[in-house]
Amino acid sequence: MIIESQSLVVGYGNQRANPIIDGLHFSAFAGDIKILWGPSGSGKTTLLNSLAGFIKPWSGMLAYRGHDITDLTESATADFRNRNIGMIHQSFNLIPAFSARMNVAAPLLIAGGKSKNSLDAADRIMDSLGISHRKDARPSELSGGEQQRVALARALVNEPDLLLADEPTGNLDEHNSQKILGILADQRDRGRAIIIATHDPRVAGIGTDTLVFPLVS
Amino acid sequence: MKLFATYLGSDHNKNIFGTIKQVTIMTLLVVFITIMVGIWPGIVYKETAGYQFSKYDIHLNGPITGEFIKELSEELPAGAATLGLLSSAAQVVVDQAEARVQTTYYDSQSEGALEMGPVNSDTLVAGDISSDLPVIADVYTAKGLGIEIGDAFTVKGIGEAGSGDQEYEVRLSGLIAPTTGVTGLYLPADLSRLGGSEIGGEEMPIFSDLYIQSEPAASIDLATVGQGQWSETVTGMTRQQELKSALAEVESSMPKRIRDALIGASLLVLMIYLVREHSVRLDRRQRQLAILSSLGMSRAAILRFFGAEQLLLAVVPIALGSFLGVSYLGSVGIWLPRQTEYGVLGAVVGGFAVAVVLSLIGLRRKLARTDMARLLSAE
């Protein structure tokens, strides 16, 4: 099992009233594509952010490969995220000042990787996703589909076990959406656990399991 | 390192003029601070230059040699030189056993300014300088005057202002072979203060021996104070009192409270600008920092990035601004003592350091409050 939650309660604010997620039992194995399905504002992104360590659960337990990660320090959470999680967002979230190649290499550099090794790894993953010809371009010079593939390359460059995707096709046309879905399916076949928040039926189609939001406790 | 190099100034990298503008403003601020911090000590230094010596304790613990004087001069700040350090407090003759006399050129024609020549190797080639009133001439001067050791002759002093001419009957007691290119008579302190002389109707340069002002009392091998009063110690005349009154006069022109307030205000302006600039820069890059955080960069690492960037961006303004500020003061005739230069640099660096620390504290609080997830989710 890659990730698991038990009785997970997540919400915003200090009052701890009206949780967004209340008592969730959830697990994802290698090769799973879990679809978090539901309308905007139903809590899909909140769960993703909680799994990524951006939001501390109010209560319950989160475990990664059997290790409790609920109470990690901020620094340990950042390190955990760097080593084990790849994230992609609807708005791509590329750093505008960096070239595509630097964007992809950033997680490895943050982890303390050597410059040449990190950039070589970035080149390899960009090549496998068919965007190596755009490696020197800035994000603003890339199309939406190219930006999302750069974001995917960045999410995959440190070979994480867990891939979290928040509306990965939300800003893409049909053609580019299919490309991204193809890459995600390929990553599933390589044994990664993938959790996708979406309300796009095309994305839901590649899932192995679907969690419907809002959750009913 | 690669990531940092790419990150550096990355909010401006599409517009290099943004970074240039920021560095230029910071440089101008440093120029302003340098002038504000340095101008007053510079004025005080300028107005009291003649008294600067009394700020330095000079301990004479051994034979006074040319090398000693040279070393002493090098220790003094630029501009202070030996002005006021040497005066006619005592005549010092050292190493008498080897019949050598140390001499210092005293230029009586230039309103009391002292110029030191090489003084270490004027060797007594004939005669004896242990008499009560040693009068020495270089061999060329003696030949020109037609006098030999033991001959008596009259020195007519031109005299200090208002004192009128005076005549002194002296007897040549020694000859030296000059190595400095300066020729004339070498007389004890009191006589050398005539300010100029005539011998046989001809103007004759007069040099005194080495005069050392010392505070506290100097301990030297052998000295003579005034005419023929041999002593093993010399008590230097202090001009501390004169310095104090000169300082008081200069400082009374602007109360210390106002000066301190001006310096404080200028430093405050610098810090407010820097903190504000850092804050704006941070706001501009909030999303970028959120992305770095999502990739696994810890808050501490983000703080290190931001702090290092601010420090690097401060290097050019500090170096260039301080240099321009000090140069400007110099161009209007206000040279800063070395200590003040260090003080200016310390104030500027301190101002930057405080601003960076304040910014980092603000950034730390901001990072802790920022909802990274929401920033990342925003379209």
Side-chain angles (χ1 to χ4, degrees):
Chain A
M1 188 184 302
I2 303 291
I3 194 148
E4 174 190 18
S5 77
Q6 287 180 8
S7 307
L8 193 68
V9 180
V10 184
Y12 297 100
N14 297 323
Q15 301 297 321
R16 302 214 165 187
N18 304 320
I20 309 292
I21 295 164
D22 195 1
L24 176 67
H25 298 276
F26 172 83
S27 60
F29 292 83
D32 275 356
I33 293 186
K34 293 277 185 186
I35 301 296
L36 311 183
W37 174 264
S40 297
S42 57
K44 308 186 298 291
T45 301
T46 301
L47 177 58
L48 283 184
N49 286 328
S50 182
L51 296 176
F54 281 120
I55 303 173
K56 284 271 178 207
W58 287 353
S59 64
M61 189 272 287
L62 259 180
Y64 175 80
R65 289 192 177 277
H67 297 287
D68 189 349
I69 56 169
T70 318
D71 293 320
L72 291 180
T73 62
E74 188 275 335
S75 172
T77 302
D79 188 53
F80 162 76
R81 198 159 47 229
N82 177 264
R83 293 181 189 285
N84 304 298
I85 296 180
M87 287 189 80
I88 55 175
H89 303 87
Q90 179 177 352
S91 51
F92 318 128
N93 282 332
L94 300 176
I95 296 175
F98 289 7
S99 66
R101 189 180 188 219
M102 267 305 293
N103 266 289
V104 175
L108 296 174
L109 293 168
I110 287 171
K114 289 190 174 177
S115 180
K116 185 178 183 311
N117 296 344
S118 304
L119 291 170
D120 286 349
D123 288 345
R124 282 194 299 276
I125 190 82
M126 290 178 83
D127 193 35
S128 72
L129 297 185
I131 44 168
S132 56
H133 63 293
R134 303 292 279 149
K135 66 181 181 182
D136 294 324
R138 296 290 171 89
S140 59
E141 297 162 353
L142 299 172
S143 69
E146 287 171 333
Q147 286 191 60
Q148 193 60 299
R149 275 188 285 162
V150 170
L152 246 173
R154 183 179 64 184
L156 296 171
V157 73
N158 55 356
E159 301 188 353
D161 288 337
L162 180 60
L163 195 58
L164 305 177
D166 189 6
E167 304 285 2
T169 58
N171 280 338
L172 302 181
D173 58 23
E174 175 66 27
H175 173 69
N176 282 307
S177 293
Q178 288 305 329
K179 272 191 178 177
I180 295 299
L181 293 179
I183 294 168
L184 290 175
D186 179 54
Q187 294 303 316
R188 174 199 59 201
D189 296 342
R190 290 169 187 250
R192 301 191 204 287
I194 303 173
I195 301 173
I196 307 174
T198 185
H199 53 256
D200 182 345
R202 293 169 304 180
V203 180
I206 65 166
T208 53
D209 189 8
T210 300
L211 197 60
V212 179
F213 283 72
L215 299 168
V216 179
S217 52
Chain B
M1 196 64 199
K2 175 81 178 169
L3 194 67
F4 178 67
T6 313
Y7 172 87
L8 185 63
S10 58
D11 63 336
H12 281 146
N13 74 342
K14 287 217 157 187
N15 177 12
I16 188 68
F17 294 109
T19 301
I20 291 174
K21 181 183 159 197
Q22 189 194 350
V23 169
T24 304
I25 290 173
M26 288 202 287
T27 302
L28 290 175
L29 273 171
V30 172
V31 171
F32 175 62
I33 303 285
T34 302
I35 293 171
M36 292 303 294
V37 175
I39 191 165
W40 190 255
I43 289 173
V44 170
Y45 184 71
K46 185 182 178 187
E47 295 298 320
T48 60
Y51 309 104
Q52 293 297 320
F53 73 93
S54 56
K55 286 189 172 176
Y56 302 92
D57 288 339
I58 297 159
H59 301 270
L60 307 178
N61 296 318
I64 302 164
T65 64
E67 190 61 31
F68 171 81
I69 297 296
K70 186 166 168 280
E71 287 173 8
L72 197 61
S73 302
E74 287 170 354
E75 284 179 18
L76 295 173
T82 52
L83 185 64
L85 173 65
L86 306 174
S87 69
S88 300
Q91 179 188 14
V92 179
V93 181
V94 296
D95 208 359
Q96 190 188 22
E98 293 180 11
R100 293 174 63 197
V101 58
Q102 309 297 328
T103 58
T104 297
Y105 172 45
Y106 177 55
D107 180 8
S108 58
Q109 302 301 312
S110 57
E111 299 179 339
L114 278 161
E115 292 177 19
M116 285 206 316
V119 297
N120 204 20
S121 55
D122 286 349
T123 305
L124 195 73
V125 293
D128 176 11
I129 59 170
S130 61
S131 65
D132 284 352
L133 187 61
V135 175
I136 304 162
D138 65 87
V139 291
Y140 305 112
T141 300
K143 191 177 176 184
L145 292 172
I147 53 174
E148 294 180 355
I149 291 172
D151 286 353
F153 57 99
T154 300
V155 177
K156 182 183 177 184
I158 294 171
E160 293 177 291
S163 64
D165 294 350
Q166 295 176 55
E167 289 190 351
Y168 292 88
E169 179 84 6
V170 296
R171 190 177 294 277
L172 189 66
S173 47
L175 289 171
I176 60 167
T179 57
T180 61
V182 177
T183 58
L185 282 177
Y186 295 80
L187 300 178
D190 281 3
L191 294 187
S192 73
R193 296 174 80 178
L194 294 172
S197 67
E198 286 179 13
I199 298 174
E202 286 186 30
E203 282 197 20
M204 175 61 58
I206 292 182
F207 310 110
S208 68
D209 289 345
L210 184 62
Y211 297 107
I212 294 292
Q213 183 86 33
S214 172
E215 184 186 73
S219 171
I220 58 175
D221 285 358
L222 194 62
T224 173
V225 179
Q227 288 189 42
Q229 298 168 36
W230 292 94
S231 169
E232 288 186 354
T233 60
V234 172
T235 301
M237 292 194 317
T238 176
R239 294 178 71 186
Q240 192 68 39
Q241 212 53 43
E242 293 173 57
L243 174 70
K244 277 182 182 169
S245 60
L247 280 172
E249 191 179 332
V250 176
E251 289 183 354
S252 66
S253 59
M254 188 187 287
K256 189 173 185 304
R257 200 176 296 173
I258 293 178
R259 297 197 311 265
D260 290 347
L262 284 173
I263 292 172
S266 60
L267 279 171
L268 201 62
V269 167
L270 174 73
M271 287 190 285
I272 287 172
Y273 171 79
L274 288 175
V275 171
R276 186 186 151 277
E277 179 64 29
H278 294 170
S279 177
V280 169
R281 183 175 277 256
L282 176 65
D283 286 344
R284 232 170 7 218
R285 283 201 273 186
Q286 262 201 329
R287 190 180 173 102
Q288 182 174 318
L289 296 178
I291 295 170
L292 288 171
S293 174
S294 79
L295 300 178
M297 185 175 273
S298 65
R299 268 183 224 156
I302 290 174
L303 284 171
R304 279 199 299 274
F305 254 51
F306 198 77
E309 182 189 47
Q310 297 316 311
L311 288 176
L312 269 181
L313 285 177
V315 167
V316 171
I318 288 174
L320 187 61
S322 304
F323 173 75
L324 290 176
V326 169
S327 300
Y328 171 75
L329 287 174
S331 73
V332 295
I334 298 173
W335 296 102
L336 303 187
R338 187 60 47 82
Q339 274 180 318
T340 304
E341 287 181 357
Y342 292 146
V344 167
L345 200 59
V348 171
V349 170
F352 269 89
V354 169
V356 169
V357 168
L358 288 175
S359 298
L360 290 180
I361 291 172
L363 172 58
R364 192 164 179 270
R365 293 179 62 180
K366 209 168 218 175
L367 284 176
R369 285 201 305 261
T370 300
D371 186 346
M372 298 289 186
R374 207 169 288 257
L375 274 174
L376 292 170
S377 300
E379 287 190 46

